[in-house]
Amino acid sequence: MIDPRAIVSSEAQLAPDVTVGPFSIIGPQVRIGARTVVGPHVVVNGPTTIGADNRIFQFASLGDAPQDKKYRGEPTQLVIGDRNVFRESCTINRGTTHDRGVTRIGSDNLFMAYAHVAHDCQVGDNTVFANSVAMGGHVEVGDWVILGGLVAVHQFTKIGAHAFLGGGAILSRDVPPYVMVAGNPAVPHGVNAEGLRRRGFSDEQIRHIREAYRVLYRSELKLAEALERLAGLAQTHSEIRVFVDFIHGSTRGLVR
């Protein structure tokens, strides 16, 4: 299932049913799991681990050296889960020793054409990166996040689960879970209620999330005061606890 025109290192470890298309290059210290399909003209360098049932389209580059001037060739890693799709010309870089040393991609994600994930990023599960999304280094993206086309994310930014970033957003601050943002600079535009319904959140849970959003963004309270008001709701409702915990863990400040 490896095209004779592909170049696969003798040090790479591929499951027996992996497909590799013509003119692709699989370097040493690469591990690829069952049923993964590597299309034509793909480059995968290591150390990189790719799980099962992934689909990698032409001209993608996975696991190459980070675009970081401080990088000195250390053996950092890229780790990718299962059932991801990497469309044409995606670039996913390995980590650096200035962070965890690992760029990590979860499972069931879709990376559309020209999406870029920089060194040391941590991406959860079930996300969508639309065409030409560009992420700086050390970014954290929670589960079920959707990033519209041409979104740019500043390094070290955190994006909470179920957030939605409108096309062309320029993000330099953290986005709490459930929140929709858009614009340059990105600003909040309400709760991703439709996305939450599609993922099984109840009307009551969405109502609580809307109330938490109102307290944070519409009550004119200072951040500490808003968190104090939300503390009681967080104790009894797990969806609000996630919201509050994210705010406490913010390092770049929140979109406002």
Side-chain angles (χ1 to χ4, degrees):
M1 304 182 73
I2 298 176
D3 190 282
R5 293 163 291 181
I7 299 173
V8 179
S9 170
S10 60
E11 299 178 38
Q13 300 179 38
L14 278 59
D17 51 0
V18 167
T19 298
V20 181
F23 310 111
S24 286
I25 300 173
I26 310 297
Q29 301 184 71
V30 172
R31 301 174 60 188
I32 302 180
R35 298 175 301 280
T36 289
V37 177
V38 179
H41 297 280
V42 171
V43 177
V44 183
N45 281 319
T48 291
T49 300
I50 300 174
D53 297 300
N54 293 282
R55 181 76 187 273
I56 306 168
F57 282 73
Q58 54 268 26
F59 309 114
S61 174
L62 307 184
D64 227 315
Q67 299 176 102
D68 187 330
K69 294 178 70 174
K70 300 183 294 297
Y71 181 70
R72 295 293 182 267
E74 300 92 347
T76 54
Q77 298 182 65
L78 168 63
V79 177
I80 296 172
D82 304 325
R83 299 176 303 280
N84 297 288
V85 175
F86 299 93
R87 292 303 304 244
E88 297 83 354
S89 301
C90 284
T91 51
I92 318 289
N93 294 157
R94 299 195 313 272
T96 68
T97 57
H98 304 286
D99 199 336
R100 312 178 197 195
V102 179
T103 302
R104 191 177 302 276
I105 308 293
S107 298
D108 300 295
N109 300 291
L110 170 59
F111 297 87
M112 296 186 193
Y114 295 96
H116 174 68
V117 179
H119 59 86
D120 302 293
C121 289
Q122 310 292 310
V123 178
D125 302 329
N126 296 290
T127 67
V128 176
F129 285 58
N131 297 316
S132 300
V133 169
M135 294 210 312
H138 315 277
V139 172
E140 297 181 18
V141 181
D143 298 342
W144 297 101
V145 169
I146 296 177
L147 300 94
L150 301 169
V151 166
V153 183
H154 194 282
Q155 61 182 351
F156 293 102
T157 300
K158 298 178 182 178
I159 305 172
H162 304 281
F164 183 98
L165 281 66
I170 307 298
L171 184 66
S172 61
R173 297 190 180 272
D174 297 341
V175 181
Y178 320 123
V179 172
M180 297 190 298
V181 302
N184 179 14
V187 294
H189 285 272
V191 170
N192 184 17
E194 183 58 34
L196 295 175
R197 290 190 188 95
R198 292 175 181 177
R199 292 159 205 154
F201 282 70
S202 68
D203 290 342
E204 182 180 17
Q205 288 175 311
I206 295 172
R207 180 170 56 81
H208 293 151
I209 291 168
R210 288 188 188 276
E211 174 62 17
Y213 179 90
R214 187 193 67 77
V215 170
L216 180 63
Y217 286 113
R218 298 289 183 261
S219 64
E220 300 185 357
L221 295 173
K222 294 181 179 179
L223 181 59
E225 295 170 336
L227 287 170
E228 184 176 354
R229 182 172 295 186
L230 291 171
L233 197 58
Q235 289 181 356
T236 54
H237 298 90
S238 59
E239 65 274 13
I240 306 305
R241 188 180 315 119
V242 170
F243 187 77
V244 170
D245 288 347
F246 180 94
I247 296 170
H248 281 298
S250 173
T251 54
R252 290 192 54 81
L254 303 177
V255 292
R256 300 289 276 183

